[in-house]
Amino acid sequence: MDTGVNYNHYDLNRNLWINNGEILGDGIDNDGNGIVDDIYGVSCIGGNISGNPMDDNGHGTHVAGIIGAANNKEGVVGIGADSLFRSKNPAFSKDKH
């Protein structure tokens, strides 16, 4: 849990958990968990739950990199480079810091 994660980041995207029960961009809650298009995790900013945990602050991506950056010969290697993680943005955004 943090400010989300940049799920497009080259050091992180291969270690991100993917919700295979969802179809990205169709606007439907395919897996029936109450969250539409939650492919990479969820965001709960301001009590609004969405399936887009994109990091709008940078802190969550930085922490995710320390923990789970892939050993891909680019950038850094996280302490759990072979780990799989899911993003949850509980209540923070760049407007609240």
Side-chain angles (χ1 to χ4, degrees), residues 29-49:
D29 176 21
N30 305 102
D31 64 3
N33 69 357
I35 305 168
V36 174
D37 292 340
D38 57 318
I39 300 293
Y40 302 111
V42 298
S43 175
C44 304
I45 294 176
N48 298 317
I49 298 175

Side-chain angles (χ1 to χ4, degrees), residues 7-45:
Y7 43 80
N8 296 316
H9 194 285
Y10 63 89
D11 271 337
L12 301 175
N13 59 12
R14 75 182 275 207
N15 287 348
L16 282 170
W17 168 85
I18 296 175
N19 181 356
N20 291 317
E22 288 287 349
I23 300 169
L24 183 60
D26 70 353
I28 298 170
D29 176 21
N30 305 102
D31 64 3
N33 69 357
I35 305 168
V36 174
D37 292 340
D38 57 318
I39 300 293
Y40 302 111
V42 298
S43 175
C44 304
I45 294 176

